[in-house]
Amino acid sequence: MRTISGVLAVSLVGTMGLIAVPAQADPKPPVIPSQSTVDAAKKAAAAKAAQVNAIEQQLAGAGARLEQLGVQAAKAGEVYNGAMYRLQQAQAEAKAAGDRAARAEKTLAAQRQQIGRFAAASYQGGGDLAKLGPLFTANGPQELLDSAGAARSVSQAMQGSYLRYTASQVVTNAFKIQKDQAVTKVQAATDEAAKAKQAAEAAEAEQRSAVASIGAQRRQQIAQLAVLRNTSVQVATQRQRGLEELARQRAAALAAKKAEELRRRIAAREAAEARAAREEAARKAREERNNNKHQGSKKKPKKHQPSKGGGGNDGGSGHNSRGARAAIDFALAQLGEPYIWAAAGPSSWDCSGLTMGAWKKAGVQLPHYSVAQYEQIKHISEDDLRPGDLIFWAEDSNDPGTIFHVAMYLGGGRMIHAPRPGRPVTTDSIYYWEAPDFFGRP
């Protein structure tokens, strides 16, 4: 029994030992991607990065495209203003030509009547009726004087009247030709204005359509970015807005730097002018004292009379600083009002309409066309700018005839203007966009 018990005990112990030790499984081989799989993954990652970069560039270009379309619409509007300006000039020219022709025709009719009275007097005095009859036909006077007998039957006074008549006839015919040419010019200008209007309407429609379509594309592209970056659309939108705001701030900082450089140049010029004025006044005072001393005069020297003209740091465009202040105040009162091409108030404006309305408030008449505005004001340099002066942009910086935008200078490198469709009357650095090309003072 003891032997059996011992054997059982050993068997149980062995069994317990077997149960406590689990079986060891063979290790699984590691997953090792093939080189082709790795290459494919790298290619996919590069493609995703390229897609992200392409979409980001498209988003950046979308804003620039909208700005470009807005500028094109504003340019088209200003072309229309130019066409209307030329039409008004042609109409005024045609009216003047018509008035001249009418006055000449009236003078001619009076002289024709005078010749008729001479003929009647000659007839009553026994003149040859057969010779005088042609006077009453369309080419009467000429046919009469062309005949040899007429010279003997018509008095010297009548011949003098006829000479005046023929001279007036030449002038009248010339005026009639001018009138016809002016009428033709009016028709051509009318056609030009109609075409310019259609072009402006088309440009505005294109810009308005692009705002909607680019807005939809923008939302779609941001959603694609969110998928590619494994982020939410909200996060992708915030990132894009942040990038665009950063770009705007950098551009604004650069514009502010340029504006500050301009402010310093203007301040240096004004300081030099003030110093020169003081030195000139002191020189004149010394000369006057010396003259009084040599002449032994007991008269007191005249006090220096300050210049009545505008100038200095308080502004002073045009006739005087008061006029410039009135123009600036009017323009600032329009802040926030919408841009509409060809508009000149009272509650919507285009670029030249705003500057025309502002300076009209100051008593200065300007045409509703930026090119003509520059033609009719004093031309100055950038460093001569004073508040109220006008700033112009052109397609060709050497040709004022290509001017397409105008703004009003406020001082400190800033301006007020009606920029383009979609942007209301606002203030900006004069360098917020492209550097201006021409400058003038009403």
Side-chain angles (χ1 to χ4, degrees):
M1 288 296 293
R2 288 181 181 177
T3 304
I4 294 172
S5 299
V7 171
L8 289 172
V10 171
S11 299
L12 288 171
V13 171
T15 302
M16 292 294 290
L18 291 173
I19 293 173
V21 179
Q24 297 292 327
D26 293 335
K28 293 182 179 181
V31 177
I32 302 176
S34 66
Q35 185 60 46
S36 61
T37 302
V38 172
D39 292 341
K42 288 182 178 180
K43 186 176 181 180
K48 181 183 291 187
Q51 291 178 33
V52 169
N53 183 58
I55 293 174
E56 287 180 339
Q57 289 181 353
Q58 290 172 5
L59 285 169
R65 175 62 177 161
L66 283 178
E67 181 70 20
Q68 180 186 20
L69 288 172
V71 171
Q72 288 177 353
K75 287 181 179 180
E78 200 61 12
V79 169
Y80 170 75
N81 288 339
M84 288 301 298
Y85 175 72
R86 287 185 288 274
L87 174 58
Q88 292 165 1
Q89 286 184 316
Q91 288 172 334
E93 182 180 338
K95 184 180 183 307
D99 291 344
R100 289 194 301 268
R103 288 194 299 268
E105 185 63 44
K106 186 176 180 180
T107 300
L108 193 65
Q111 292 176 347
R112 188 183 295 115
Q113 290 177 357
Q114 185 179 27
I115 293 176
R117 287 193 295 269
F118 275 121
S122 177
Y123 172 72
Q124 291 172 0
D128 188 345
L129 181 59
K131 293 178 180 178
L132 296 174
L135 281 169
F136 302 98
T137 66
N139 297 321
Q142 185 61 53
E143 291 179 0
L144 179 65
L145 290 185
D146 282 346
S147 66
R152 296 189 297 270
S153 61
V154 180
S155 67
Q156 187 69 29
M158 184 176 178
Q159 292 183 33
S161 295
Y162 179 72
L163 290 175
R164 289 192 296 272
Y165 171 84
T166 53
S168 297
Q169 195 172 40
V170 171
V171 173
T172 301
N173 290 338
F175 284 162
K176 285 181 178 178
I177 292 173
Q178 290 178 0
K179 177 184 176 182
D180 293 340
Q181 291 175 340
V183 170
T184 301
K185 191 174 181 180
V186 168
Q187 185 58 53
T190 301
D191 294 341
E192 179 194 7
K195 291 179 181 178
K197 182 178 180 181
Q198 290 178 351
E201 290 172 341
E204 185 184 37
E206 181 183 6
Q207 191 252 1
R208 189 167 53 246
S209 175
V211 169
S213 63
I214 289 178
Q217 291 174 9
R218 173 186 171 86
R219 290 189 293 272
Q220 182 180 6
Q221 289 166 344
I222 288 177
Q224 291 175 357
L225 282 177
V227 172
L228 291 170
R229 291 178 175 144
N230 295 321
T231 61
S232 69
V233 174
Q234 181 180 5
V235 171
T237 301
Q238 290 175 344
R239 171 180 167 78
Q240 184 60 33
R241 287 176 179 171
L243 291 173
E244 291 171 356
E245 175 61 19
L246 181 61
R248 188 198 66 78
Q249 290 177 359
R250 288 172 176 169
L254 179 60
K257 181 179 179 181
K258 292 181 178 179
E260 176 61 19
E261 292 173 354
L262 174 63
R263 187 197 66 77
R264 290 177 179 175
R265 292 201 307 269
I266 292 176
R269 175 190 57 77
E270 291 178 340
E273 289 177 351
R275 183 167 57 252
R278 290 193 300 270
E279 291 174 353
E280 179 64 14
R283 185 188 64 77
K284 289 182 177 180
R286 286 194 302 271
E287 289 180 354
E288 190 170 359
R289 286 195 301 270
N290 291 335
N291 291 336
N292 290 336
K293 181 178 180 181
H294 291 313
Q295 295 173 3
S297 173
K298 296 182 179 180
K299 295 181 180 180
K300 294 182 179 179
K302 294 181 180 180
K303 293 183 178 179
H304 174 67
Q305 297 294 327
S307 172
K308 295 182 180 180
N313 295 324
D314 62 343
S317 285
H319 303 300
N320 51 54
S321 58
R322 184 179 302 172
R325 187 71 259 170
I328 291 171
D329 289 344
F330 180 91
L332 290 174
Q334 318 312 314
L335 281 171
E337 293 184 351
Y339 175 101
I340 296 180
W341 64 271
S347 56
S348 59
W349 310 87
D350 67 5
C351 66
S352 55
L354 178 64
T355 51
M356 178 184 73
W359 272 103
K360 182 178 180 181
K361 189 69 174 179
V364 177
Q365 299 295 326
L366 294 175
H368 189 181
Y369 180 36
S370 54
V371 172
Q373 287 185 4
Y374 182 73
E375 289 173 347
Q376 296 184 19
I377 62 178
K378 178 183 178 182
H379 301 168
I380 60 174
S381 69
E382 186 176 25
D383 290 355
D384 286 329
L385 279 171
R386 297 174 184 170
D389 289 343
L390 301 185
I391 308 168
F392 301 86
W393 284 258
E395 298 279 5
D396 182 350
S397 59
N398 295 315
D399 182 6
T402 65
I403 286 173
F404 61 85
H405 187 62
V406 58
M408 179 181 291
Y409 186 63
L410 296 177
R414 297 192 64 77
M415 65 183 181
I416 182 169
H417 64 149
R420 59 168 176 77
R423 286 197 68 201
V425 176
T426 188
T427 60
D428 279 311
S429 164
I430 69 172
Y431 303 106
Y432 89 103
W433 175 43
E434 299 174 355
D437 300 295
F438 300 99
F439 311 88
R441 179 166 301 149

